[in-house]
Structure formats: structure tokens, C-alpha cells
């Protein structure tokens, strides 16, 4: 019975993870296709259950910006040519997408901020209410000049463990056990 249950769970996981995944780029096309995940571990089918492998949930991060843009939608640009790399669909934007405002100008990242993030002149609410995303050209024109990420810090908590009170406490203590992963020069 136990083997049958394990087999059913393994097959269910394989069916859920077995399809290819694609991401939309600024051009609206699939950026890349990620091959299906192999469920075959070193000890045979299903061995992955006993091997935690790499951590699936990343550490939470906080960031600062050059100006007050916590209510504006972030997009990602290519630092070399300035072209739009990625942006959200209006349906991707919810109240849970907005960063959490913390003490001393820090924001808790909930969208995937990077040094290449820029902010557009659409608030989360305005963008969410659009029937479709503006064109990449329109989004580039909507970038707020000089609004950039100035610092990113990785927290000693996984996403979901980083409550505002917990993170504010870390900030008050000088960010012990945290790693500065980016600081604008």
C-alpha cells in the first residue's frame, strides 16, 4: 500500500511539473522554454523526496530607491541597450504585488526587484485596471527618470517568513545576518 501511494504521489508530481514553461518577453513572445523537470533521482524514480536538494524558496529581500516610487509599477530594462526586458501583465498586479513600506526608506520586495529595475508612471491600481499592457515603447516612455534601485539586501528569512515587524526589527538592529547584494555607486 505504501509503495502504491508513493507511486501515485510521484506520478502526480511528474504530471504537474512535466510540462514546459515559457515566459513572455517585452515583445510578447515566449522568451525561452524550460525543459520538463526530471523526477529521476540518483537512487531511482521518486528519490528526490528524500533529497531536499537546492532550496526552492529564496530569501526575502528589501531594497531602497532613489525617490519615493513604492506605489509605481516596476519593469526591467537591459542595462546595455536600455530596451525593455520584462514587464507585468495588468492581471499580474494585485495588492499583494506592492512592496511593503518599512522603516528608514526600505521596501520589502514582492515583485522581483533587481539593479535593472525601473519604475513607470502607472500606479499599481492604474495598471491593474488596464484591459491590456501598454506596448513596450509606451512603457519605455513612461519610465520615471532617475527612479532607480539604489540598494538591495538579502534577509536571513525565506519569502513568507519576512513579516514587516520582523524586518523592521532587523533594520533597527543594523541588518545583522543580512547580505548587501547590490549597492549603487
Amino acid at each position: 500500500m505504501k509503495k502504491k501511494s508513493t507511486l501515485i504521489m510521484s506520478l502526480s508530481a511528474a504530471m504537474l511539473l512535466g510540462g514546459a514553461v515559457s515566459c513572455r518577453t517585452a515583445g510578447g513572445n515566449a522568451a525561452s522554454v524550460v525543459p520538463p523537470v526530471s523526477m529521476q533521482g540518483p537512487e531511482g524514480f521518486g528519490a528526490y523526496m528524500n533529497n531536499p536538494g537546492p532550496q526552492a524558496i529564496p530569501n526575502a529581500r528589501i531594497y531602497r530607491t532613489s525617490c519615493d516610487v513604492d506605489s509605481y509599477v516596476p519593469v526591467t530594462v537591459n542595462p546595455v541597450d536600455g530596451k525593455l526586458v520584462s514587464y507585468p501583465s495588468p492581471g499580474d498586479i494585485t495588492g499583494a504585488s506592492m512592496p511593503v513600506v518599512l522603516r528608514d526608506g526600505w521596501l520589502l520586495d514582492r515583485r522581483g526587484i533587481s539593479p535593472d529595475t525601473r519604475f513607470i508612471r502607472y500606479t499599481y491600481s492604474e495598471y491593474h485596471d488596464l484591459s491590456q499592457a501598454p506596448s513596450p515603447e509606451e512603457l519605455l516612455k513612461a519610465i520615471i527618470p532617475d527612479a532607480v534601485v539604489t540598494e538591495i539586501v538579502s534577509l536571513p528569512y525565506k519569502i513568507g517568513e519576512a513579516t514587516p515587524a520582523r524586518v523592521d526589527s532587523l533594520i533597527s538592529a543594523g541588518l545583522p545576518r543580512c547580505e548587501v547584494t547590490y549597492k549603487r555607486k
Side-chain angles (χ1 to χ4, degrees), residues 46-174:
Y48 68 95
M49 293 178 138
N50 297 323
N51 178 5
Q55 294 294 322
I57 301 174
N59 284 11
R61 299 181 315 162
I62 57 174
Y63 65 98
R64 285 184 173 164
T65 57
S66 59
C67 55
D68 185 15
V69 289
D70 57 279
S71 57
Y72 293 94
V73 174
V75 297
T76 306
V77 297
N78 182 321
V80 176
D81 62 13
K83 291 185 180 178
L84 204 56
V85 173
S86 68
Y87 58 92
S89 141
D92 293 338
I93 299 297
T94 67
S97 306
M98 293 181 67
V100 176
V101 178
L102 303 165
R103 64 181 307 131
D104 299 337
W106 288 102
L107 301 166
L108 180 61
D109 182 14
R110 299 192 328 176
R111 290 269 332 138
I113 298 300
S114 79
D116 302 325
T117 296
R118 300 298 177 267
F119 300 88
I120 56 175
R121 295 182 193 278
Y122 289 87
T123 65
Y124 281 86
S125 176
E126 291 168 339
Y127 199 86
H128 172 76
D129 290 344
L130 296 173
S131 59
Q132 66 181 29
S135 71
E137 294 78 23
E138 291 173 302
L139 290 173
L140 283 172
K141 289 177 186 173
I143 289 176
I144 300 169
D146 301 321
V148 295
V149 174
T150 58
E151 194 170 1
I152 301 173
V153 174
S154 179
L155 303 176
Y157 307 121
K158 299 294 180 195
I159 292 174
E161 298 174 341
T163 64
R166 205 173 195 189
V167 178
D168 274 340
S169 177
L170 267 179
I171 294 167
S172 293

Side-chain angles (χ1 to χ4, degrees), residues 14-32:
M15 289 169 46
L16 285 172
L17 297 173
V21 178
S22 65
C23 299
R24 183 168 53 142
T25 64
N29 300 322
S32 62

Side-chain angles (χ1 to χ4, degrees), residues 1-10:
M1 183 67 167
K2 187 174 180 181
K3 285 184 180 181
K4 190 175 194 179
S5 176
T6 302
L7 179 60
I8 290 171
M9 288 175 56
S10 297

